[in-house]
Amino acid sequence: MIRNIRIRQWRAYDDATIDLDYPVVFFVAENGVGKSSFFEAARCCLLGFPNGRAAARAVRANADRAELSMELALGDDDIINVTRTLTRTGRATFSASRNGVTLDENTYLSTLQTTWAADNPLIDRLMFGDPGASRSNAPLPIRDHLAELLGVTPMLDAAATLRLAQAGAHSRVATVREAANASADEAAVREAAVDDAREVLSAIVAERDAA
């Protein structure tokens, strides 16, 4: 659960802290107030900037950089604080801590994945659900996610290994059959040559007898 988010020098926001005190929060306002900007800020703070130079356009005019901070509650006493900054040139920084212990970005993202039982592209789609702004046009990894969630990934991996072994066995059988067919053809040719030789020998014997 996102407890709060602070937005500084981001689009229409100069410096705003928004507390999210309930599991479900609705934002209702006129167009142009900053609902979409808040949505985008939350997404970028949680999962990172999709493209530094493109995202840098969100830095507020006359500001050198934007700063997004968020407090996440993974449990009653499990708190993550994450801060991301973005300069006008597209340079991004990241810092985070979990209950006071510093996290690098890979550990942070892995923590989200483990806590929510979903990889980051799936988290992105399910939480923010905007295909046009998605960081990837690849299909949702629903099959892999469900397999991991249900604990059947090792079985699927074993099945894939067996399919590869089966394909290799079929290939070897085909090779042996081709060799066998070639041997059979060669044997037929030799047998025909023997028959021809026998006919020639019979003719020679007949001529000899006649002589």
Side-chain angles (χ1 to χ4, degrees):
M1 174 181 174
I2 300 175
R3 284 188 169 181
N4 61 64
I5 179 170
R6 184 181 183 185
I7 307 172
R8 300 179 64 191
Q9 306 302 330
W10 178 269
R11 296 195 182 279
Y13 293 92
D14 178 21
D15 189 346
T17 299
I18 301 172
D19 294 319
L20 305 175
D21 299 326
Y22 299 93
V24 178
V25 178
F26 292 92
F27 288 84
V28 181
E30 297 178 357
N31 291 337
V33 172
K35 299 187 301 297
S36 297
S37 295
F38 169 79
F39 182 86
E40 182 184 356
R43 185 179 201 171
C44 291
C45 188
L46 184 68
L47 298 173
F49 303 105
N51 185 309
R53 291 189 178 279
R57 291 195 294 269
V59 178
R60 197 176 185 198
N62 301 321
D64 294 329
R65 69 173 189 169
E67 181 178 302
L68 308 174
S69 302
M70 180 181 290
E71 182 179 292
L72 293 167
L74 304 184
D76 293 338
D77 298 314
D78 194 357
I79 305 299
I80 287 183
N81 292 283
V82 56
T83 298
R84 296 181 187 272
T85 67
L86 183 67
T87 67
R88 282 197 168 280
T89 59
R91 182 176 179 272
T93 66
F94 168 89
S95 63
S97 64
R98 183 178 187 180
N99 302 321
V101 178
T102 300
L103 301 176
D104 59 44
E105 188 166 11
N106 288 334
T107 303
Y108 161 76
L109 294 174
S110 296
T111 300
L112 296 186
Q113 180 172 332
T114 301
T115 301
W116 291 330
D119 59 12
N120 293 322
L122 186 58
I123 292 172
D124 189 12
R125 297 278 190 94
L126 293 179
M127 290 186 67
F128 299 100
D130 182 4
S134 176
R135 290 155 173 75
S136 171
N137 292 323
L140 282 173
I142 294 293
R143 177 180 178 275
D144 294 340
H145 168 63
L146 291 178
E148 189 70 25
L149 191 63
L150 297 174
V152 297
T153 299
M155 296 174 59
L156 294 178
D157 292 342
T161 300
L162 288 175
R163 284 194 296 270
L164 289 175
Q166 185 180 32
H170 283 319
S171 177
R172 289 191 295 272
V173 168
T175 301
V176 171
R177 283 178 176 173
E178 290 177 0
N181 290 335
S183 298
D185 293 341
E186 185 178 353
V189 170
R190 291 180 179 179
E191 186 174 349
V194 170
D195 290 340
D196 291 342
R198 285 175 178 171
E199 290 180 3
V200 172
L201 179 60
S202 296
I204 293 173
V205 170
E207 290 179 0
R208 184 195 64 186
D209 292 343

